[in-house]
């Protein structure tokens, strides 16, 4: 299942789309992505500044409109099959 998740991520599928295609709960896919990150197949992306710092409404907003509490991952530059990933234009 882990390899299939990586394949679907490479195709640009969302967590919900992957869960639906594999017929498993969303939480199971999220857990598998944690395992893939621990194994080095996905890279965790750490959030930098608060989204409020770059928001065009920051001067009038009390700062409670949006707080992203999720996790973000990216695929590294290698593939399971040993082939280089194709560069996107």
């Amino acid at each position: 299942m882990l390899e299939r998740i990586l394949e679907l991520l490479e195709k640009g599928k969302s967590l919900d789309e992957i869960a639906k295609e594999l017929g498993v709960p969303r939480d199971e896919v999220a857990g598998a992505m944690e395992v893939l990150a621990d194994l080095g197949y996905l890279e965790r992306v750490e959030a930098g500044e608060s989204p409020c710092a770059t928001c065009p409404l920051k001067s009038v907003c009390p700062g409670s409109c949006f707080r992203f509490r999720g996790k973000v991952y990216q695929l590294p530059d290698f593939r399971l099959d040993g082939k280089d990933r194709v560069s996107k234009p």
Side-chain angles (χ1 to χ4, degrees):
M1 181 170 90
L2 295 177
E3 188 171 331
R4 183 71 180 130
I5 290 173
L6 282 175
E7 290 170 3
L8 293 170
L9 287 170
E10 270 194 327
K11 291 179 181 178
K13 300 285 185 173
S14 71
L15 194 137
D16 289 327
E17 291 170 327
I18 294 169
K20 184 176 180 180
E21 187 162 329
L22 298 178
V24 298
R26 185 181 196 275
D27 291 343
E28 190 171 328
V29 175
M33 289 174 66
E34 282 287 324
V35 170
L36 288 166
D38 289 341
L39 294 172
Y41 290 103
L42 291 178
E43 296 174 354
R44 288 183 186 93
V45 177
E46 299 297 327
E49 292 184 31
S50 161
C52 297
T54 57
C55 180
L57 300 175
K58 69 181 177 185
S59 64
V60 296
C61 179
S64 61
C65 61
F66 178 75
R67 295 281 191 256
F68 180 73
R69 290 183 170 86
K71 296 179 182 177
V72 178
Y73 299 92
Q74 67 183 13
L75 289 165
D77 291 331
F78 66 89
R79 294 180 48 156
L80 291 176
D81 57 11
K83 297 178 184 173
D84 290 334
R85 286 181 54 198
V86 177
S87 299
K88 294 183 179 156

